Amino acid sequence: MTGPNNTPPTGQAPLAVGGMSMEGATTVVPINKPQLDFSDKKVLCSAVCKCKSMPAIGADGRSLKQECVSARLKALDVVLDHRSLYKAEFTYDMTKRPPEPFLDKVVDTKSRSLWPGWTKTLWPKDSSHPVPYKPGRGYTRRPDVIIVKDPTKPPTQDNIKQVVEIKFPGDPFRPRQREDYIVIAGDEMKMVPLASDECDCDWAELEPSKIPVEQLGKAAALLRLIYMVVVTK
């Protein structure tokens, strides 16, 4: 639905009118789609490419490729004292508006460790929560990656640059997953799917700089650290 003068409502991509379908209906095609910045895509694709060789599914049904990517990004966050731009698998409370991340009690840029059975102990402590917690109702969501604007602040909606869902072959979006991630992001143009085949895994990886870190700028030093933690095996 468009607004006055055919301008799209806030938060929606501009639309273009395409040709006629076989049934005579006009097709409507988005002109723009959300994209990752080059530097963000390179970091995420570096992890994706290193994890492509993992088996797709483990014995217990878990996605081993996805766990591999998350582990690399989490390692980077730890090395940076939980001040990485890339936050892997933070759990969000979808009963809040906007959705709120579960954060560590001490470090507010760190995800809270949720133990087995937390839905029976921690969840009911908030009187606004529906009780009991029912799996599959969409009470919580855990996006693959949150890219933040300011790594010194928690990944709340006002600090979210983009929500990224990484998809390997055979891993489609689940019901309402995309819609809920848009709610977390606060804008559909901030929700970016990244298919593994969008990553050019044949690129020649650059060797980390041999210049001493103290002679590098902050940005260059960070890129070197990202290479060491995310890219190398």
Side-chain angles (χ1 to χ4, degrees), residues 92 97-101 103 108 146-151 153-163 183-187 190:
Y92 281 77
R97 286 295 179 269
E100 298 177 1
L103 301 174
D108 65 1
I146 300 290
I147 304 177
V148 295
K149 302 173 186 175
D150 183 347
K153 297 179 180 179
T156 50
Q157 192 175 87
D158 58 345
N159 192 35
I160 291 178
K161 178 183 176 182
Q162 288 174 308
V163 175
V183 174
I184 291 173
D187 185 331
K190 291 183 178 181

Side-chain angles (χ1 to χ4, degrees), residues 2 8 21 58 67 72 103 107 114 124 131 134 180 218 228:
T2 57
S21 69
E67 285 197 3
R72 287 176 179 272
L103 301 174
V107 183
L114 298 175
V131 178
K134 296 182 179 180
D180 284 348
K218 288 185 178 180
M228 293 168 61

Side-chain angles (χ1 to χ4, degrees), residues 95-130:
T95 70
K96 307 293 187 181
R97 286 295 179 269
E100 298 177 1
F102 285 91
L103 301 174
D104 184 79
K105 289 184 176 181
V106 178
V107 183
D108 65 1
T109 55
K110 177 183 177 183
S111 177
R112 181 161 187 172
S113 297
L114 298 175
W115 57 92
W118 73 273
T119 56
K120 295 181 179 179
T121 54
L122 177 64
W123 182 261
K125 289 183 178 180
D126 186 330
S127 60
S128 69
H129 283 159

Side-chain angles (χ1 to χ4, degrees), residues 44 47-58 61-72 89 144 166-171 196:
L44 299 184
V48 167
C49 292
K50 286 299 180 182
C51 295
K52 268 191 168 182
S53 61
M54 297 289 294
I57 302 295
R62 293 179 299 170
S63 172
L64 299 183
K65 295 179 188 292
Q66 185 56 58
E67 285 197 3
C68 173
V69 172
S70 296
R72 287 176 179 272
E89 295 189 330
D144 288 338
I166 299 171
K167 291 298 182 184
F168 288 94
D171 180 26
S196 59

